[in-house]
Amino acid sequence: MALGYVGVLTVRVEMPWVGNLKEKRALVRPVVERLKARYPLTVARLDGLDAHDWEVIGVATLSNDYGWVEETLRMAADFIAREGEYRVAWEETEITVLGGENGEEE
Protein backbone atom coordinates (compact mmCIF):
# COMPACT_ATOMS: atom_id res chain seq x y z
CA MET A 1 0.00 0.00 0.00
CA ALA A 2 1.29 3.43 -0.92
CA LEU A 3 2.02 6.03 1.73
CA GLY A 4 1.52 8.86 -0.71
CA TYR A 5 2.31 10.34 -4.08
CA VAL A 6 4.66 13.03 -5.31
CA GLY A 7 3.57 14.77 -8.47
CA VAL A 8 5.84 16.84 -10.68
CA LEU A 9 4.79 18.94 -13.65
CA THR A 10 7.40 20.40 -15.98
CA VAL A 11 6.34 23.01 -18.54
CA ARG A 12 8.45 24.73 -21.21
CA VAL A 13 7.10 28.10 -22.26
CA GLU A 14 8.38 29.98 -25.29
CA MET A 15 8.13 33.60 -26.34
CA PRO A 16 10.27 34.10 -29.46
CA TRP A 17 9.09 37.70 -29.82
CA VAL A 18 10.74 38.75 -26.52
CA GLY A 19 14.05 40.54 -26.94
CA ASN A 20 15.58 40.57 -23.46
CA LEU A 21 15.64 38.86 -20.05
CA LYS A 22 13.86 41.70 -18.23
CA GLU A 23 10.89 41.47 -20.58
CA LYS A 24 10.77 37.67 -20.25
CA ARG A 25 10.86 37.81 -16.45
CA ALA A 26 8.01 40.31 -16.53
CA LEU A 27 5.91 37.71 -18.38
CA VAL A 28 6.89 34.58 -16.42
CA ARG A 29 7.43 35.69 -12.83
CA PRO A 30 3.86 36.96 -12.19
CA VAL A 31 2.39 33.67 -13.42
CA VAL A 32 4.72 31.69 -11.13
CA GLU A 33 3.83 33.87 -8.13
CA ARG A 34 0.05 33.67 -8.77
CA LEU A 35 0.32 29.89 -9.18
CA LYS A 36 2.05 29.61 -5.78
CA ALA A 37 -0.64 31.76 -4.16
CA ARG A 38 -3.60 29.96 -5.72
CA TYR A 39 -2.66 26.27 -5.37
CA PRO A 40 -0.91 24.13 -2.72
CA LEU A 41 2.21 23.73 -4.84
CA THR A 42 5.92 24.32 -4.87
CA VAL A 43 6.80 26.21 -8.05
CA ALA A 44 10.20 27.11 -9.45
CA ARG A 45 11.74 28.52 -12.59
CA LEU A 46 14.08 25.65 -13.47
CA ASP A 47 15.83 26.24 -16.78
CA GLY A 48 16.28 28.89 -19.42
CA LEU A 49 16.90 31.59 -16.84
CA ASP A 50 19.61 33.11 -19.04
CA ALA A 51 17.65 32.67 -22.28
CA HIS A 52 15.46 35.55 -23.38
CA ASP A 53 12.90 33.53 -25.35
CA TRP A 54 12.10 30.38 -23.32
CA GLU A 55 11.93 29.02 -19.80
CA VAL A 56 11.08 25.79 -17.98
CA ILE A 57 8.73 25.98 -14.99
CA GLY A 58 8.59 23.14 -12.47
CA VAL A 59 5.64 22.40 -10.19
CA ALA A 60 5.49 19.82 -7.39
CA THR A 61 2.91 18.59 -4.89
CA LEU A 62 2.52 15.76 -2.38
CA SER A 63 -0.56 13.94 -1.07
CA ASN A 64 -1.87 10.56 0.05
CA ASP A 65 -4.52 10.77 -2.73
CA TYR A 66 -3.34 9.93 -6.27
CA GLY A 67 -6.41 11.52 -7.87
CA TRP A 68 -5.88 14.76 -5.96
CA VAL A 69 -2.24 14.97 -7.08
CA GLU A 70 -3.23 14.29 -10.69
CA GLU A 71 -6.05 16.86 -10.66
CA THR A 72 -3.95 19.53 -8.92
CA LEU A 73 -1.18 19.20 -11.51
CA ARG A 74 -3.77 19.36 -14.32
CA MET A 75 -5.18 22.59 -12.85
CA ALA A 76 -1.65 23.99 -12.60
CA ALA A 77 -0.91 23.10 -16.24
CA ASP A 78 -4.16 24.74 -17.36
CA PHE A 79 -3.37 27.83 -15.27
CA ILE A 80 0.11 28.17 -16.77
CA ALA A 81 -1.28 27.75 -20.30
CA ARG A 82 -3.99 30.38 -19.96
CA GLU A 83 -2.37 33.02 -17.73
CA GLY A 84 0.83 33.92 -19.54
CA GLU A 85 1.70 35.81 -22.67
CA TYR A 86 3.73 32.93 -24.11
CA ARG A 87 3.05 29.60 -25.73
CA VAL A 88 3.43 26.25 -24.01
CA ALA A 89 5.91 24.21 -26.10
CA TRP A 90 5.59 21.02 -24.02
CA GLU A 91 4.54 19.74 -20.65
CA GLU A 92 5.30 16.54 -18.77
CA THR A 93 3.65 15.11 -15.67
CA GLU A 94 5.19 12.44 -13.48
CA ILE A 95 3.62 10.96 -10.36
CA THR A 96 5.78 8.81 -8.09
CA VAL A 97 4.52 6.41 -5.44
CA LEU A 98 5.97 6.78 -1.94
CA GLY A 99 6.29 3.62 0.10
CA GLY A 100 4.43 1.46 -2.39
CA GLU A 101 5.42 -2.11 -3.14
CA ASN A 102 7.67 -2.23 -6.21
CA GLY A 103 6.88 1.41 -7.01
CA GLU A 104 3.48 0.52 -8.45
CA GLU A 105 1.08 3.34 -9.34
CA GLU A 106 -2.67 3.21 -8.88
Side-chain angles (χ1 to χ4, degrees):
M1 178 174 211
L3 292 175
Y5 306 91
V6 176
V8 177
L9 168 69
T10 310
V11 179
R12 178 182 167 120
V13 295
E14 295 179 347
M15 53 225 89
W17 56 89
V18 171
N20 61 59
L21 291 174
K22 185 175 180 180
E23 187 179 354
K24 180 191 75 169
R25 281 192 304 270
L27 296 176
V28 176
R29 187 176 286 157
V31 173
V32 167
E33 294 305 319
R34 286 193 310 267
L35 189 59
K36 288 180 191 178
R38 182 169 291 197
Y39 298 104
L41 301 165
T42 298
V43 184
R45 298 168 58 217
L46 298 177
D47 195 11
L49 301 178
D50 294 331
H52 71 276
D53 59 349
W54 67 274
E55 190 157 314
V56 175
I57 300 169
V59 177
T61 193
L62 170 72
S63 176
N64 66 341
D65 183 339
Y66 184 90
W68 185 89
V69 170
E70 189 174 47
E71 178 63 22
T72 302
L73 293 178
R74 172 62 13 224
M75 288 188 303
D78 292 346
F79 183 88
I80 291 168
R82 79 171 173 267
E83 291 295 317
E85 295 179 37
Y86 44 67
R87 65 181 174 87
V88 173
W90 57 259
E91 68 180 57
E92 180 181 341
T93 301
E94 184 177 335
I95 300 176
T96 304
V97 178
L98 297 176
E101 293 181 26
N102 300 323
E104 295 175 8
E105 291 188 19
E106 266 186 4

